[in-house]
Amino acid sequence: MTAERGLPDVLRGNNGERIESVDEWRSKRRPEILALFRTYVYGREPIDRPASLTFETAVTPGMLDGRAVRKQVDIRFEGPGGRGTIRLLLFVPDEEGKGPYPAFLLLNNRGALTTDPQRQVGSPFWPAERIVARGYAAAVLDVEDADPDVDDGHRDGVHGIFDRFDGERPADAWATIAAWAWAARRAMDYLETDPDIDAGRVAVAGHSRGGKASLWAGALDERFALVVSNESGSTGAALSRGKRGETVQAINDRFPHWFNRNYKSFNGREEALPVDQHMLIAAVAPRAVYVASADRDEWADPASEYAALLAAVPVYRLHGFNGLGDAPFPAPESPLIGERMGYHLRSGVHDLTAYDWERFMDFADAGALK
Ligand code: GCU
């Protein structure tokens, strides 16, 4: 499959040398891969955890019919361009003598309707009730708290707060997907401080543009034990080489703010990219990764998402895990659970549904988070 698409060899260093050990992977190849994605795709974030980071938490017990405690956390920070707040909403199961709990953190790209803190409006997009019923804490943040999803030359959001350039914005500066991934990592900074959360068992999940961000967050940040990409498609889980539906050019034309300026130079030239998306998935190894697709989501291209996952298997094998091996592309509603790797194809259109969530939690139950 790798050969068919002419993919860069994930286990060969930039200098052409073969990566033979976990040590070489960790000290050489993984850092190289992250640097390549920073330079050519998502951009370089100017700051990791700001010294100014604070958390302000409001706690409400007795939520979800008495089954959960709600926490609303304001994650605040400050930079040369001003102040920002990412609002984290969290429901933690409330069972006598249990906990700390593993958690799913969703990068919400659908706005407030899907994440009503009062739970007057339930939502399959973020089924907090089901997540809690299955023994997980449910956390969500609105990606637009970190950076509004508009092409404004990266003036607003965390770019405006932290960027300081003499002259033109560099071609490898961070863009919007990287800002959302940064937000996920700041949420993790909070989760690590919460005694009700088992920070060693946290999944970061996202749908579509949110899934591109969850993959980048999970690739960068080894604190996430599980990374879930739902229908993230172009420049998410799907290989760019040989991809159907949305191409590099198509995504750059419609969403110029998502990726850095260097990425635009690969419009119509996918074969020239120094990376492909199997390398992003591989950067998660040996932590668990789950990719989901929908059979009528041709824009995202399920076959290319699955091909990327299988092309990351050699890196899992290097670590002693078989991933999904060489399992054939599955039929709809036939989830695959392998070693540290899972996949399902759902029938239907582009969406994040109750079915998808139940499968993510099956995978977490099967070992990824339990
Ligand atoms: C558009 C875009 C995709 C993206 C999707 C979404 O369709 O082209 O790349 O994943 O929006 O976020 O739902």
Side-chain angles (χ1 to χ4, degrees):
M1 181 163 309
T2 305
E4 272 166 39
R5 298 216 188 199
L7 298 181
D9 188 340
V10 65
L11 284 179
R12 203 171 281 285
N14 291 348
N15 63 4
E17 274 170 30
R18 194 130 196 95
I19 301 298
E20 313 264 10
S21 68
V22 169
D23 248 22
E24 286 174 354
W25 170 259
R26 292 197 58 77
S27 64
K28 293 192 196 146
R29 188 58 176 151
R30 183 171 178 277
E32 264 179 19
I33 287 173
L34 295 177
L36 290 170
F37 277 107
R38 282 192 170 105
T39 303
Y40 294 109
V41 185
Y42 304 106
R44 199 171 299 286
E45 63 282 8
I47 189 166
D48 189 356
R49 178 188 173 128
S52 60
L53 200 74
T54 60
F55 311 117
E56 194 181 307
T57 309
V59 179
T60 313
M63 298 293 297
L64 309 188
D65 296 327
R67 290 204 196 91
V69 175
R70 184 183 67 197
K71 302 190 187 190
Q72 290 168 290
V73 185
D74 282 352
I75 303 172
R76 294 185 208 276
F77 44 85
E78 205 177 325
R83 294 184 180 162
T85 306
I86 295 164
R87 293 159 301 166
L88 185 73
L89 170 63
L90 179 63
F91 288 100
V92 185
D94 190 7
E95 294 172 77
E96 194 63 40
K98 290 218 184 147
Y101 296 92
F104 276 88
L105 166 66
L106 176 70
L107 305 182
N108 175 33
N109 57 292
R110 288 237 181 124
L113 259 187
T114 58
T115 57
D116 171 28
Q118 311 302 335
R119 306 313 289 164
Q120 310 284 12
V121 189
S123 164
F125 196 82
W126 188 58
E129 295 75 7
R130 281 295 303 158
I131 297 171
V132 163
R134 290 192 61 166
Y136 296 93
V140 70
L141 62 84
D142 184 337
V143 292
E144 299 213 31
D145 279 1
D147 190 30
D149 195 0
V150 290
D151 178 22
D152 73 330
H154 297 110
R155 278 189 296 275
D156 60 10
V158 293
H159 303 111
I161 294 175
F162 293 110
D163 285 348
R164 277 294 165 272
F165 303 123
D166 299 329
E168 205 194 1
R169 193 179 161 79
D172 69 348
W174 63 338
T176 292
I177 298 293
W180 298 348
W182 186 89
R185 303 179 61 198
R186 304 296 67 84
M188 187 60 171
D189 293 340
Y190 164 77
L191 293 171
E192 282 188 319
T193 70
D194 188 327
D196 295 330
I197 302 295
D198 181 348
R201 294 187 293 156
V202 175
V204 61
H207 166 65
S208 209
R209 66 196 71 189
K212 305 179 209 292
S214 71
L215 279 171
W216 183 227
L220 287 173
D221 197 327
E222 299 187 289
R223 294 176 297 175
F224 292 111
L226 164 61
V227 182
V228 179
S229 148
N230 195 68
E231 301 160 28
S232 61
S234 177
T235 325
L239 293 174
S240 299
R241 287 170 177 77
K243 188 180 181 307
R244 294 164 188 262
E246 188 175 33
T247 59
V248 170
Q249 164 117 40
I251 202 165
N252 279 329
D253 286 353
R254 273 180 72 210
F255 304 99
H257 55 298
W258 283 358
F259 310 105
N260 69 18
R261 208 162 66 241
N262 282 335
Y263 197 49
K264 284 38 173 197
S265 66
F266 299 100
N267 287 349
R269 304 197 309 132
E270 282 82 356
E271 73 292 344
L273 271 166
V275 291
D276 210 322
Q277 300 304 114
H278 63 309
M279 294 159 73
L280 183 68
I281 296 171
V284 175
R287 292 166 294 132
V289 64
Y290 194 97
V291 171
S293 315
D295 67 352
R296 285 169 57 203
D297 188 8
E298 290 101 4
W299 192 236
D301 188 5
S304 290
E305 294 185 318
Y306 190 67
L309 196 56
L310 288 199
V313 166
V315 179
Y316 280 81
R317 284 205 171 124
L318 181 72
H319 289 83
F321 301 102
N322 198 36
L324 287 175
D326 55 4
F329 188 54
E333 283 79 59
S334 314
L336 299 174
I337 295 188
E339 290 178 1
R340 304 275 173 110
M341 214 180 241
Y343 179 84
H344 75 250
L345 178 68
R346 171 176 54 71
S347 36
V349 296
H350 187 68
D351 199 1
L352 173 55
T353 69
Y355 175 86
D356 299 315
W357 275 104
E358 297 296 336
R359 301 297 77 76
F360 306 158
M361 291 190 279
D362 291 348
F363 182 64
D365 285 354
L369 293 187
K370 283 224 161 134

